[in-house]
Amino acid sequence: MARSNDQQVLSLLGLARRARQLVSGEAIVLKNIQTNQAKFVFLAKDAGSATGKKFTDKCRTYHVPCSRRFTKDQLSQATGQSRTVIGVVQPGFARKFEELLRME
């Protein structure tokens, strides 16, 4: 069951990208977290340790849910961009990601 949920999340990530509801790139996502515009963050589980710590700490401080379930390759393939960190700015998409990631 978790596999199909992962696939749904990645498909939805591609849809959110086409709807222009994602921000990507470390500096931009960090700024969006700090200004409370990012509602959900995807951080690649194979991100460097400094990057991982920086984003998990910022997400915790600003109360932004963060998922480390996917690899850089999976996130890049889903969005069509080579990225380590992706921020979701639309609350509806963020809620759906949380819902899908909670189901296992």
Side-chain angles (χ1 to χ4, degrees):
M1 172 116 173
R3 281 287 142 226
S4 65
N5 270 0
D6 285 1
Q7 203 49 55
Q8 274 186 296
V9 169
L10 292 171
S11 296
L12 192 60
L13 200 54
L15 182 66
R17 163 95 172 36
R18 289 189 296 281
R20 299 185 187 279
Q21 299 302 317
L22 300 180
V23 290
S24 60
E26 288 188 28
I28 295 167
V29 174
L30 207 52
K31 185 177 174 217
N32 274 267
I33 291 170
Q34 292 169 328
T35 58
N36 290 315
Q37 291 176 302
K39 307 300 181 199
F40 193 91
V41 172
F42 285 97
L43 179 61
K45 65 180 166 189
D46 53 350
S49 59
T51 302
K53 181 175 176 7
K54 178 178 16 174
F55 280 95
T56 51
D57 289 352
K58 284 292 181 201
C59 286
R60 193 173 301 118
T61 302
Y62 289 92
H63 307 290
V64 177
C66 181
S67 169
R68 292 201 72 171
R69 182 177 290 190
F70 303 102
T71 64
K72 219 180 288 190
D73 286 343
Q74 288 172 306
L75 293 174
S76 298
Q77 190 173 5
T79 60
Q81 293 179 311
S82 181
R83 295 289 187 250
T84 304
V85 63
I86 297 169
V88 180
V89 294
Q90 209 269 347
F93 277 116
R95 269 193 308 275
K96 189 64 179 171
F97 285 128
E98 279 191 84
E99 187 183 303
L100 287 169
L101 290 167
R102 251 191 316 241
M103 286 192 260
E104 292 210 32

